[in-house]
Amino acid sequence: LFDYLENAGIISILISYPDNSDLLSQITNIFSILKSSVTTIYFIVLIISVIAYFVRLIDIKRKTLNS
C-alpha cells in the first residue's frame, strides 16, 4: 500500500515539475519511510519466526532421540 502511495506521489511530483509542492514531497517521503519501515519489520519477524521454527524442530528431534 505504501509503495503505491509513494509511486503516486513521485508521479505527481514529476507531472507538476517545475512547480513542485513541498507538502507533496514531504508526504511522498513519509510514504517512502513507512514502506521501508514495514518491510524491515516484516523481515525481522520472518527471521525470528524461522529461527524459532528451527529451534523447536531441533528440540523435538532431541526429545525423540532421548526417549
Side-chain angles (χ1 to χ4, degrees), residues 1-9 31-32 34-36 38-39:
L1 176 66
F2 293 126
D3 186 42
Y4 290 122
L5 294 171
E6 177 192 21
N7 291 343
F31 289 142
S32 179
L34 287 172
K35 177 184 77 168
S36 298
V38 169
T39 302

Side-chain angles (χ1 to χ4, degrees), residues 13 26 32 42:
I13 289 170
Q26 290 173 353
S32 179
Y42 168 79

Side-chain angles (χ1 to χ4, degrees), residues 15-41:
I15 289 172
S16 68
Y17 181 81
D19 300 324
N20 290 337
S21 163
D22 286 338
L23 179 62
L24 182 59
S25 297
Q26 290 173 353
I27 291 172
T28 302
N29 186 38
I30 289 170
F31 289 142
S32 179
I33 292 169
L34 287 172
K35 177 184 77 168
S36 298
S37 299
V38 169
T39 302
T40 301
I41 291 168

Side-chain angles (χ1 to χ4, degrees), residues 46-60:
L46 179 66
I47 290 168
I48 290 171
S49 299
V50 169
I51 291 171
Y53 171 77
F54 282 113
V55 166
R56 190 171 298 155
L57 185 67
I58 291 169
D59 190 43
I60 289 172

